Amino acid sequence: MGWVMMSERDFHRIEVLAQVDDRRLSVQNGANLLDVTRRQMFRFLKTYRTEGGTGIRYRARGKAPNNQIHDAKRDYAVALVKEKYEDFGPTLAAEMLAEHHGSKVSRETLHKWMQGAGLWLSRKQRRTFYQPRSRRECFGELNIEILCANSSQAKGHVERANRTLQDRLVKELRLAVISSIEDGNVFLPGFIERYNAKFANAPARSDTLHRALNIAPDRMSEVFCLRDKRHVTKDLMLKYGRKRIELAENDLTCDLVGTYVDAYELADGRIQVRAKGVTLPYTIMNPERLITHTAITENKHLSAVLVHIKEEQDKAASKPKVKPVSAKNGYVKNGRSPGRPSKLELHYAAKRAAAAQTGSES
């Protein structure tokens, strides 16, 4: 008899079955040790007594699985992917094979085949690292135009499912050999229909669940705004958005010292300060500040007004230098007096003089 391949689980079953067959272990305890039912335990005992320990091993070991895909089908699918869908992912490539070539392969199987053929890398293998670059203000030297973050050119066209649409749509346009806007518009309705049939989810309820508007339409600006709390100092001052705001002194604001008020930033840029629902009058006390190129670049609410202010500030004459009162009276700094030398300085000075005298004598 030749060698018989068995797993550790098979050896454990044979050991328990031998103890049960020798009546050193009950059938129920043996079933508990093997984590099987009592009925299955009797089946194992019958096989063990008729065929011995070799009958317990897994009978399909070393045999090809019944659902194994033929090598010819694998080679055909890999050849199609290399020829037409080399830059496709496994999911989209499997859909294209089933739709255009009648070859139905699961995404997981095609993923394994593409990895074996070197056509697909995992996300970890595709990850690249970039060295950080130092930032320099070279807009004028390099003729670089600053695009504001609130412009469509800087944002780009953002879609809800950009990772899917920008991948599938572009590749299907290429497969359909479409290179003009007119042909693309003709192709788009069919693509939308197929895309929605695959990815759209039907709502659980078809009726609308929007609630009726329960506030006056003119109060919508109070809902769609930024709201925050700010502390009022003893000078009736508060800070918001790099602004110093001074509240007007009246009977209501005098009682707000040391408390918090609500600051509303509306959609049109206006700021409202309220206390207990009452709008408070205020004055912005911000001093004039110089605008730099860095501030212009980093400000997400950039507009042409900031650039104009910067140009006007550059044209303005420099402010005269303010002299202190002592300088106006003719005082001139003479520098600090040397003071008395230390004992260490006197010691080294004597050594240098002795060394100089010895050198002159020799």
Side-chain angles (χ1 to χ4, degrees), residues 139-174:
F139 310 116
E141 300 176 10
L142 302 180
N143 196 20
I144 297 176
E145 179 185 0
I146 301 177
L147 296 179
C148 310
N150 55 1
S151 64
S152 58
Q153 295 89 345
K155 287 183 177 179
H157 188 62
V158 181
E159 298 136 342
R160 292 182 60 188
N162 58 343
R163 292 190 63 182
T164 303
L165 289 177
Q166 292 180 0
D167 181 64
R168 288 176 172 265
L169 180 58
V170 173
K171 291 176 180 177
E172 290 204 23
L173 288 173
R174 187 184 67 198

PDB file of all heavy atoms in Angstrom, residues 139-174:
ATOM      1  N   PHE A 139       4.770  84.000  -9.293  1.00  0.00           N
ATOM      2  CA  PHE A 139       3.673  84.177 -10.234  1.00  0.00           C
ATOM      3  C   PHE A 139       4.096  85.036 -11.425  1.00  0.00           C
ATOM      4  O   PHE A 139       3.811  84.720 -12.581  1.00  0.00           O
ATOM      5  CB  PHE A 139       2.478  84.824  -9.531  1.00  0.00           C
ATOM      6  CG  PHE A 139       2.098  84.132  -8.253  1.00  0.00           C
ATOM      7  CD1 PHE A 139       2.202  84.781  -7.037  1.00  0.00           C
ATOM      8  CD2 PHE A 139       1.658  82.828  -8.278  1.00  0.00           C
ATOM      9  CE1 PHE A 139       1.858  84.139  -5.873  1.00  0.00           C
ATOM     10  CE2 PHE A 139       1.310  82.181  -7.117  1.00  0.00           C
ATOM     11  CZ  PHE A 139       1.415  82.835  -5.910  1.00  0.00           C
ATOM     12  N   GLY A 140       4.812  86.121 -11.139  1.00  0.00           N
ATOM     13  CA  GLY A 140       5.222  87.010 -12.225  1.00  0.00           C
ATOM     14  C   GLY A 140       6.315  86.410 -13.076  1.00  0.00           C
ATOM     15  O   GLY A 140       6.330  86.558 -14.297  1.00  0.00           O
ATOM     16  N   GLU A 141       7.278  85.690 -12.438  1.00  0.00           N
ATOM     17  CA  GLU A 141       8.399  85.121 -13.187  1.00  0.00           C
ATOM     18  C   GLU A 141       7.944  84.008 -14.120  1.00  0.00           C
ATOM     19  O   GLU A 141       8.397  83.894 -15.249  1.00  0.00           O
ATOM     20  CB  GLU A 141       9.444  84.590 -12.205  1.00  0.00           C
ATOM     21  CG  GLU A 141      10.013  85.659 -11.277  1.00  0.00           C
ATOM     22  CD  GLU A 141      10.965  85.048 -10.268  1.00  0.00           C
ATOM     23  OE1 GLU A 141      11.307  83.863 -10.442  1.00  0.00           O
ATOM     24  OE2 GLU A 141      11.359  85.739  -9.317  1.00  0.00           O
ATOM     25  N   LEU A 142       7.045  83.158 -13.650  1.00  0.00           N
ATOM     26  CA  LEU A 142       6.618  82.007 -14.443  1.00  0.00           C
ATOM     27  C   LEU A 142       5.354  82.277 -15.236  1.00  0.00           C
ATOM     28  O   LEU A 142       4.827  81.385 -15.894  1.00  0.00           O
ATOM     29  CB  LEU A 142       6.383  80.814 -13.517  1.00  0.00           C
ATOM     30  CG  LEU A 142       7.580  80.385 -12.666  1.00  0.00           C
ATOM     31  CD1 LEU A 142       7.204  79.203 -11.796  1.00  0.00           C
ATOM     32  CD2 LEU A 142       8.764  80.035 -13.547  1.00  0.00           C
ATOM     33  N   ASN A 143       4.818  83.487 -15.144  1.00  0.00           N
ATOM     34  CA  ASN A 143       3.599  83.855 -15.873  1.00  0.00           C
ATOM     35  C   ASN A 143       2.445  82.939 -15.495  1.00  0.00           C
ATOM     36  O   ASN A 143       1.709  82.429 -16.337  1.00  0.00           O
ATOM     37  CB  ASN A 143       3.840  83.806 -17.391  1.00  0.00           C
ATOM     38  CG  ASN A 143       2.741  84.554 -18.146  1.00  0.00           C
ATOM     39  OD1 ASN A 143       2.033  85.383 -17.564  1.00  0.00           O
ATOM     40  ND2 ASN A 143       2.593  84.253 -19.411  1.00  0.00           N
ATOM     41  N   ILE A 144       2.291  82.702 -14.173  1.00  0.00           N
ATOM     42  CA  ILE A 144       1.234  81.845 -13.668  1.00  0.00           C
ATOM     43  C   ILE A 144       0.063  82.722 -13.254  1.00  0.00           C
ATOM     44  O   ILE A 144       0.224  83.707 -12.542  1.00  0.00           O
ATOM     45  CB  ILE A 144       1.719  81.015 -12.471  1.00  0.00           C
ATOM     46  CG1 ILE A 144       2.855  80.082 -12.917  1.00  0.00           C
ATOM     47  CG2 ILE A 144       0.584  80.206 -11.856  1.00  0.00           C
ATOM     48  CD1 ILE A 144       3.464  79.292 -11.794  1.00  0.00           C
ATOM     49  N   GLU A 145      -1.135  82.331 -13.695  1.00  0.00           N
ATOM     50  CA  GLU A 145      -2.339  83.079 -13.355  1.00  0.00           C
ATOM     51  C   GLU A 145      -3.020  82.427 -12.155  1.00  0.00           C
ATOM     52  O   GLU A 145      -3.183  81.202 -12.112  1.00  0.00           O
ATOM     53  CB  GLU A 145      -3.305  83.092 -14.540  1.00  0.00           C
ATOM     54  CG  GLU A 145      -4.596  83.845 -14.258  1.00  0.00           C
ATOM     55  CD  GLU A 145      -5.567  83.739 -15.415  1.00  0.00           C
ATOM     56  OE1 GLU A 145      -5.213  83.082 -16.404  1.00  0.00           O
ATOM     57  OE2 GLU A 145      -6.656  84.305 -15.313  1.00  0.00           O
ATOM     58  N   ILE A 146      -3.396  83.232 -11.172  1.00  0.00           N
ATOM     59  CA  ILE A 146      -4.066  82.728  -9.984  1.00  0.00           C
ATOM     60  C   ILE A 146      -5.541  82.536 -10.300  1.00  0.00           C
ATOM     61  O   ILE A 146      -6.214  83.468 -10.743  1.00  0.00           O
ATOM     62  CB  ILE A 146      -3.898  83.691  -8.801  1.00  0.00           C
ATOM     63  CG1 ILE A 146      -2.416  83.894  -8.480  1.00  0.00           C
ATOM     64  CG2 ILE A 146      -4.634  83.166  -7.574  1.00  0.00           C
ATOM     65  CD1 ILE A 146      -2.177  84.891  -7.378  1.00  0.00           C
ATOM     66  N   LEU A 147      -6.045  81.310 -10.078  1.00  0.00           N
ATOM     67  CA  LEU A 147      -7.458  81.022 -10.261  1.00  0.00           C
ATOM     68  C   LEU A 147      -8.088  80.889  -8.884  1.00  0.00           C
ATOM     69  O   LEU A 147      -7.638  80.099  -8.062  1.00  0.00           O
ATOM     70  CB  LEU A 147      -7.652  79.739 -11.064  1.00  0.00           C
ATOM     71  CG  LEU A 147      -7.143  79.778 -12.509  1.00  0.00           C
ATOM     72  CD1 LEU A 147      -7.373  78.426 -13.174  1.00  0.00           C
ATOM     73  CD2 LEU A 147      -7.841  80.871 -13.293  1.00  0.00           C
ATOM     74  N   CYS A 148      -9.147  81.654  -8.622  1.00  0.00           N
ATOM     75  CA  CYS A 148      -9.785  81.638  -7.314  1.00  0.00           C
ATOM     76  C   CYS A 148     -10.484  80.302  -7.080  1.00  0.00           C
ATOM     77  O   CYS A 148     -10.948  79.646  -8.015  1.00  0.00           O
ATOM     78  CB  CYS A 148     -10.799  82.771  -7.203  1.00  0.00           C
ATOM     79  SG  CYS A 148     -10.106  84.364  -7.712  1.00  0.00           S
ATOM     80  N   ALA A 149     -10.589  79.924  -5.822  1.00  0.00           N
ATOM     81  CA  ALA A 149     -11.241  78.664  -5.490  1.00  0.00           C
ATOM     82  C   ALA A 149     -12.739  78.718  -5.722  1.00  0.00           C
ATOM     83  O   ALA A 149     -13.399  77.688  -5.753  1.00  0.00           O
ATOM     84  CB  ALA A 149     -10.958  78.295  -4.029  1.00  0.00           C
ATOM     85  N   ASN A 150     -13.303  79.923  -5.864  1.00  0.00           N
ATOM     86  CA  ASN A 150     -14.737  80.025  -6.114  1.00  0.00           C
ATOM     87  C   ASN A 150     -15.052  80.134  -7.602  1.00  0.00           C
ATOM     88  O   ASN A 150     -16.144  80.518  -7.984  1.00  0.00           O
ATOM     89  CB  ASN A 150     -15.318  81.238  -5.380  1.00  0.00           C
ATOM     90  CG  ASN A 150     -14.580  82.523  -5.748  1.00  0.00           C
ATOM     91  OD1 ASN A 150     -13.654  82.506  -6.550  1.00  0.00           O
ATOM     92  ND2 ASN A 150     -14.994  83.635  -5.151  1.00  0.00           N
ATOM     93  N   SER A 151     -14.091  79.805  -8.465  1.00  0.00           N
ATOM     94  CA  SER A 151     -14.323  79.843  -9.904  1.00  0.00           C
ATOM     95  C   SER A 151     -14.435  78.431 -10.449  1.00  0.00           C
ATOM     96  O   SER A 151     -13.862  77.493  -9.919  1.00  0.00           O
ATOM     97  CB  SER A 151     -13.180  80.578 -10.612  1.00  0.00           C
ATOM     98  OG  SER A 151     -11.970  79.876 -10.446  1.00  0.00           O
ATOM     99  N   SER A 152     -15.186  78.283 -11.529  1.00  0.00           N
ATOM    100  CA  SER A 152     -15.386  76.957 -12.118  1.00  0.00           C
ATOM    101  C   SER A 152     -14.095  76.410 -12.697  1.00  0.00           C
ATOM    102  O   SER A 152     -13.890  75.200 -12.746  1.00  0.00           O
ATOM    103  CB  SER A 152     -16.452  77.046 -13.202  1.00  0.00           C
ATOM    104  OG  SER A 152     -16.061  77.985 -14.204  1.00  0.00           O
ATOM    105  N   GLN A 153     -13.166  77.288 -13.140  1.00  0.00           N
ATOM    106  CA  GLN A 153     -11.911  76.797 -13.703  1.00  0.00           C
ATOM    107  C   GLN A 153     -11.062  76.117 -12.644  1.00  0.00           C
ATOM    108  O   GLN A 153     -10.367  75.139 -12.925  1.00  0.00           O
ATOM    109  CB  GLN A 153     -11.113  77.948 -14.325  1.00  0.00           C
ATOM    110  CG  GLN A 153     -11.796  78.569 -15.530  1.00  0.00           C
ATOM    111  CD  GLN A 153     -12.724  79.689 -15.131  1.00  0.00           C
ATOM    112  OE1 GLN A 153     -13.062  79.818 -13.962  1.00  0.00           O
ATOM    113  NE2 GLN A 153     -13.142  80.499 -16.085  1.00  0.00           N
ATOM    114  N   ALA A 154     -11.085  76.636 -11.420  1.00  0.00           N
ATOM    115  CA  ALA A 154     -10.259  76.050 -10.361  1.00  0.00           C
ATOM    116  C   ALA A 154     -10.893  74.795  -9.782  1.00  0.00           C
ATOM    117  O   ALA A 154     -10.204  73.848  -9.438  1.00  0.00           O
ATOM    118  CB  ALA A 154     -10.032  77.080  -9.246  1.00  0.00           C
ATOM    119  N   LYS A 155     -12.206  74.790  -9.661  1.00  0.00           N
ATOM    120  CA  LYS A 155     -12.867  73.630  -9.078  1.00  0.00           C
ATOM    121  C   LYS A 155     -12.898  72.449 -10.041  1.00  0.00           C
ATOM    122  O   LYS A 155     -12.797  71.308  -9.626  1.00  0.00           O
ATOM    123  CB  LYS A 155     -14.302  73.998  -8.695  1.00  0.00           C
ATOM    124  CG  LYS A 155     -14.400  74.892  -7.465  1.00  0.00           C
ATOM    125  CD  LYS A 155     -15.847  75.142  -7.126  1.00  0.00           C
ATOM    126  CE  LYS A 155     -15.980  75.976  -5.866  1.00  0.00           C
ATOM    127  NZ  LYS A 155     -17.388  76.242  -5.533  1.00  0.00           N
ATOM    128  N   GLY A 156     -13.056  72.703 -11.321  1.00  0.00           N
ATOM    129  CA  GLY A 156     -13.257  71.605 -12.252  1.00  0.00           C
ATOM    130  C   GLY A 156     -14.693  71.112 -12.178  1.00  0.00           C
ATOM    131  O   GLY A 156     -15.497  71.552 -11.345  1.00  0.00           O
ATOM    132  N   HIS A 157     -15.033  70.207 -13.070  1.00  0.00           N
ATOM    133  CA  HIS A 157     -16.394  69.674 -13.097  1.00  0.00           C
ATOM    134  C   HIS A 157     -16.489  68.505 -12.134  1.00  0.00           C
ATOM    135  O   HIS A 157     -15.878  67.471 -12.332  1.00  0.00           O
ATOM    136  CB  HIS A 157     -16.752  69.232 -14.519  1.00  0.00           C
ATOM    137  CG  HIS A 157     -18.193  68.860 -14.675  1.00  0.00           C
ATOM    138  ND1 HIS A 157     -19.218  69.748 -14.467  1.00  0.00           N
ATOM    139  CD2 HIS A 157     -18.771  67.683 -14.986  1.00  0.00           C
ATOM    140  CE1 HIS A 157     -20.365  69.142 -14.675  1.00  0.00           C
ATOM    141  NE2 HIS A 157     -20.125  67.879 -14.990  1.00  0.00           N
ATOM    142  N   VAL A 158     -17.230  68.665 -11.064  1.00  0.00           N
ATOM    143  CA  VAL A 158     -17.333  67.659 -10.017  1.00  0.00           C
ATOM    144  C   VAL A 158     -18.635  66.890 -10.200  1.00  0.00           C
ATOM    145  O   VAL A 158     -19.698  67.483 -10.314  1.00  0.00           O
ATOM    146  CB  VAL A 158     -17.294  68.312  -8.621  1.00  0.00           C
ATOM    147  CG1 VAL A 158     -17.367  67.261  -7.532  1.00  0.00           C
ATOM    148  CG2 VAL A 158     -16.030  69.130  -8.481  1.00  0.00           C
ATOM    149  N   GLU A 159     -18.545  65.570 -10.234  1.00  0.00           N
ATOM    150  CA  GLU A 159     -19.724  64.727 -10.355  1.00  0.00           C
ATOM    151  C   GLU A 159     -19.929  63.961  -9.066  1.00  0.00           C
ATOM    152  O   GLU A 159     -19.017  63.783  -8.268  1.00  0.00           O
ATOM    153  CB  GLU A 159     -19.554  63.735 -11.522  1.00  0.00           C
ATOM    154  CG  GLU A 159     -19.409  64.431 -12.852  1.00  0.00           C
ATOM    155  CD  GLU A 159     -18.304  63.808 -13.688  1.00  0.00           C
ATOM    156  OE1 GLU A 159     -17.470  63.107 -13.093  1.00  0.00           O
ATOM    157  OE2 GLU A 159     -18.283  64.052 -14.893  1.00  0.00           O
ATOM    158  N   ARG A 160     -21.121  63.474  -8.869  1.00  0.00           N
ATOM    159  CA  ARG A 160     -21.421  62.738  -7.639  1.00  0.00           C
ATOM    160  C   ARG A 160     -20.692  61.408  -7.613  1.00  0.00           C
ATOM    161  O   ARG A 160     -20.280  60.943  -6.564  1.00  0.00           O
ATOM    162  CB  ARG A 160     -22.929  62.507  -7.529  1.00  0.00           C
ATOM    163  CG  ARG A 160     -23.732  63.776  -7.309  1.00  0.00           C
ATOM    164  CD  ARG A 160     -25.192  63.458  -7.158  1.00  0.00           C
ATOM    165  NE  ARG A 160     -25.415  62.570  -6.017  1.00  0.00           N
ATOM    166  CZ  ARG A 160     -26.582  62.011  -5.742  1.00  0.00           C
ATOM    167  NH1 ARG A 160     -27.607  62.224  -6.539  1.00  0.00           N
ATOM    168  NH2 ARG A 160     -26.715  61.234  -4.699  1.00  0.00           N
ATOM    169  N   ALA A 161     -20.542  60.776  -8.760  1.00  0.00           N
ATOM    170  CA  ALA A 161     -19.854  59.476  -8.834  1.00  0.00           C
ATOM    171  C   ALA A 161     -18.710  59.594  -9.821  1.00  0.00           C
ATOM    172  O   ALA A 161     -18.655  58.880 -10.815  1.00  0.00           O
ATOM    173  CB  ALA A 161     -20.830  58.380  -9.238  1.00  0.00           C
ATOM    174  N   ASN A 162     -17.779  60.511  -9.550  1.00  0.00           N
ATOM    175  CA  ASN A 162     -16.737  60.803 -10.542  1.00  0.00           C
ATOM    176  C   ASN A 162     -15.823  59.612 -10.780  1.00  0.00           C
ATOM    177  O   ASN A 162     -15.360  59.400 -11.896  1.00  0.00           O
ATOM    178  CB  ASN A 162     -15.923  62.025 -10.097  1.00  0.00           C
ATOM    179  CG  ASN A 162     -15.276  61.828  -8.734  1.00  0.00           C
ATOM    180  OD1 ASN A 162     -15.658  60.942  -7.991  1.00  0.00           O
ATOM    181  ND2 ASN A 162     -14.322  62.658  -8.405  1.00  0.00           N
ATOM    182  N   ARG A 163     -15.562  58.797  -9.768  1.00  0.00           N
ATOM    183  CA  ARG A 163     -14.657  57.662  -9.962  1.00  0.00           C
ATOM    184  C   ARG A 163     -15.274  56.611 -10.881  1.00  0.00           C
ATOM    185  O   ARG A 163     -14.567  55.835 -11.501  1.00  0.00           O
ATOM    186  CB  ARG A 163     -14.315  57.033  -8.618  1.00  0.00           C
ATOM    187  CG  ARG A 163     -13.462  57.913  -7.734  1.00  0.00           C
ATOM    188  CD  ARG A 163     -12.961  57.157  -6.535  1.00  0.00           C
ATOM    189  NE  ARG A 163     -12.092  56.059  -6.923  1.00  0.00           N
ATOM    190  CZ  ARG A 163     -11.553  55.215  -6.057  1.00  0.00           C
ATOM    191  NH1 ARG A 163     -11.815  55.331  -4.768  1.00  0.00           N
ATOM    192  NH2 ARG A 163     -10.766  54.245  -6.471  1.00  0.00           N
ATOM    193  N   THR A 164     -16.619  56.586 -10.952  1.00  0.00           N
ATOM    194  CA  THR A 164     -17.284  55.636 -11.835  1.00  0.00           C
ATOM    195  C   THR A 164     -17.525  56.238 -13.205  1.00  0.00           C
ATOM    196  O   THR A 164     -17.210  55.636 -14.232  1.00  0.00           O
ATOM    197  CB  THR A 164     -18.620  55.187 -11.212  1.00  0.00           C
ATOM    198  OG1 THR A 164     -18.366  54.622  -9.925  1.00  0.00           O
ATOM    199  CG2 THR A 164     -19.301  54.152 -12.082  1.00  0.00           C
ATOM    200  N   LEU A 165     -18.077  57.445 -13.241  1.00  0.00           N
ATOM    201  CA  LEU A 165     -18.432  58.048 -14.533  1.00  0.00           C
ATOM    202  C   LEU A 165     -17.197  58.395 -15.350  1.00  0.00           C
ATOM    203  O   LEU A 165     -17.144  58.133 -16.555  1.00  0.00           O
ATOM    204  CB  LEU A 165     -19.283  59.301 -14.298  1.00  0.00           C
ATOM    205  CG  LEU A 165     -20.702  59.055 -13.798  1.00  0.00           C
ATOM    206  CD1 LEU A 165     -21.405  60.376 -13.545  1.00  0.00           C
ATOM    207  CD2 LEU A 165     -21.497  58.239 -14.810  1.00  0.00           C
ATOM    208  N   GLN A 166     -16.203  58.998 -14.731  1.00  0.00           N
ATOM    209  CA  GLN A 166     -15.011  59.389 -15.483  1.00  0.00           C
ATOM    210  C   GLN A 166     -14.224  58.190 -15.966  1.00  0.00           C
ATOM    211  O   GLN A 166     -13.399  58.323 -16.865  1.00  0.00           O
ATOM    212  CB  GLN A 166     -14.127  60.286 -14.611  1.00  0.00           C
ATOM    213  CG  GLN A 166     -14.746  61.641 -14.333  1.00  0.00           C
ATOM    214  CD  GLN A 166     -13.845  62.496 -13.474  1.00  0.00           C
ATOM    215  OE1 GLN A 166     -12.764  62.088 -13.081  1.00  0.00           O
ATOM    216  NE2 GLN A 166     -14.295  63.700 -13.171  1.00  0.00           N
ATOM    217  N   ASP A 167     -14.457  57.027 -15.400  1.00  0.00           N
ATOM    218  CA  ASP A 167     -13.771  55.824 -15.861  1.00  0.00           C
ATOM    219  C   ASP A 167     -14.596  55.109 -16.932  1.00  0.00           C
ATOM    220  O   ASP A 167     -14.116  54.840 -18.027  1.00  0.00           O
ATOM    221  CB  ASP A 167     -13.521  54.894 -14.681  1.00  0.00           C
ATOM    222  CG  ASP A 167     -12.786  53.623 -15.096  1.00  0.00           C
ATOM    223  OD1 ASP A 167     -11.633  53.749 -15.532  1.00  0.00           O
ATOM    224  OD2 ASP A 167     -13.372  52.544 -14.998  1.00  0.00           O
ATOM    225  N   ARG A 168     -15.855  54.827 -16.647  1.00  0.00           N
ATOM    226  CA  ARG A 168     -16.694  54.060 -17.568  1.00  0.00           C
ATOM    227  C   ARG A 168     -17.028  54.851 -18.828  1.00  0.00           C
ATOM    228  O   ARG A 168     -16.944  54.322 -19.944  1.00  0.00           O
ATOM    229  CB  ARG A 168     -17.988  53.634 -16.871  1.00  0.00           C
ATOM    230  CG  ARG A 168     -17.793  52.542 -15.840  1.00  0.00           C
ATOM    231  CD  ARG A 168     -19.094  52.238 -15.124  1.00  0.00           C
ATOM    232  NE  ARG A 168     -18.943  51.064 -14.278  1.00  0.00           N
ATOM    233  CZ  ARG A 168     -19.269  49.830 -14.644  1.00  0.00           C
ATOM    234  NH1 ARG A 168     -19.759  49.619 -15.854  1.00  0.00           N
ATOM    235  NH2 ARG A 168     -19.109  48.819 -13.825  1.00  0.00           N
ATOM    236  N   LEU A 169     -17.442  56.092 -18.659  1.00  0.00           N
ATOM    237  CA  LEU A 169     -17.895  56.862 -19.819  1.00  0.00           C
ATOM    238  C   LEU A 169     -16.774  57.071 -20.816  1.00  0.00           C
ATOM    239  O   LEU A 169     -16.958  56.896 -22.028  1.00  0.00           O
ATOM    240  CB  LEU A 169     -18.460  58.209 -19.351  1.00  0.00           C
ATOM    241  CG  LEU A 169     -18.972  59.133 -20.451  1.00  0.00           C
ATOM    242  CD1 LEU A 169     -20.053  58.452 -21.269  1.00  0.00           C
ATOM    243  CD2 LEU A 169     -19.489  60.436 -19.860  1.00  0.00           C
ATOM    244  N   VAL A 170     -15.597  57.432 -20.338  1.00  0.00           N
ATOM    245  CA  VAL A 170     -14.474  57.688 -21.244  1.00  0.00           C
ATOM    246  C   VAL A 170     -14.091  56.420 -22.008  1.00  0.00           C
ATOM    247  O   VAL A 170     -13.852  56.447 -23.218  1.00  0.00           O
ATOM    248  CB  VAL A 170     -13.272  58.244 -20.449  1.00  0.00           C
ATOM    249  CG1 VAL A 170     -12.048  58.350 -21.336  1.00  0.00           C
ATOM    250  CG2 VAL A 170     -13.611  59.600 -19.852  1.00  0.00           C
ATOM    251  N   LYS A 171     -14.062  55.285 -21.316  1.00  0.00           N
ATOM    252  CA  LYS A 171     -13.659  54.045 -21.967  1.00  0.00           C
ATOM    253  C   LYS A 171     -14.709  53.541 -22.947  1.00  0.00           C
ATOM    254  O   LYS A 171     -14.383  53.007 -24.011  1.00  0.00           O
ATOM    255  CB  LYS A 171     -13.363  52.989 -20.912  1.00  0.00           C
ATOM    256  CG  LYS A 171     -12.110  53.311 -20.097  1.00  0.00           C
ATOM    257  CD  LYS A 171     -11.869  52.321 -18.991  1.00  0.00           C
ATOM    258  CE  LYS A 171     -10.602  52.682 -18.212  1.00  0.00           C
ATOM    259  NZ  LYS A 171     -10.367  51.782 -17.079  1.00  0.00           N
ATOM    260  N   GLU A 172     -15.983  53.719 -22.624  1.00  0.00           N
ATOM    261  CA  GLU A 172     -17.019  53.296 -23.561  1.00  0.00           C
ATOM    262  C   GLU A 172     -17.067  54.212 -24.779  1.00  0.00           C
ATOM    263  O   GLU A 172     -17.386  53.753 -25.885  1.00  0.00           O
ATOM    264  CB  GLU A 172     -18.372  53.253 -22.853  1.00  0.00           C
ATOM    265  CG  GLU A 172     -18.492  52.134 -21.829  1.00  0.00           C
ATOM    266  CD  GLU A 172     -19.937  51.734 -21.586  1.00  0.00           C
ATOM    267  OE1 GLU A 172     -20.774  51.979 -22.486  1.00  0.00           O
ATOM    268  OE2 GLU A 172     -20.223  51.190 -20.511  1.00  0.00           O
ATOM    269  N   LEU A 173     -16.779  55.484 -24.611  1.00  0.00           N
ATOM    270  CA  LEU A 173     -16.682  56.376 -25.775  1.00  0.00           C
ATOM    271  C   LEU A 173     -15.544  55.945 -26.685  1.00  0.00           C
ATOM    272  O   LEU A 173     -15.659  56.004 -27.918  1.00  0.00           O
ATOM    273  CB  LEU A 173     -16.468  57.824 -25.303  1.00  0.00           C
ATOM    274  CG  LEU A 173     -17.663  58.525 -24.667  1.00  0.00           C
ATOM    275  CD1 LEU A 173     -17.240  59.878 -24.111  1.00  0.00           C
ATOM    276  CD2 LEU A 173     -18.794  58.701 -25.674  1.00  0.00           C
ATOM    277  N   ARG A 174     -14.455  55.501 -26.081  1.00  0.00           N
ATOM    278  CA  ARG A 174     -13.330  55.040 -26.890  1.00  0.00           C
ATOM    279  C   ARG A 174     -13.663  53.750 -27.627  1.00  0.00           C
ATOM    280  O   ARG A 174     -13.315  53.582 -28.796  1.00  0.00           O
ATOM    281  CB  ARG A 174     -12.114  54.838 -25.998  1.00  0.00           C
ATOM    282  CG  ARG A 174     -10.831  54.510 -26.761  1.00  0.00           C
ATOM    283  CD  ARG A 174      -9.708  54.238 -25.804  1.00  0.00           C
ATOM    284  NE  ARG A 174      -9.962  53.020 -25.045  1.00  0.00           N
ATOM    285  CZ  ARG A 174      -9.343  52.720 -23.923  1.00  0.00           C
ATOM    286  NH1 ARG A 174      -8.455  53.529 -23.398  1.00  0.00           N
ATOM    287  NH2 ARG A 174      -9.625  51.595 -23.285  1.00  0.00           N
TER     288      ARG A 174
END
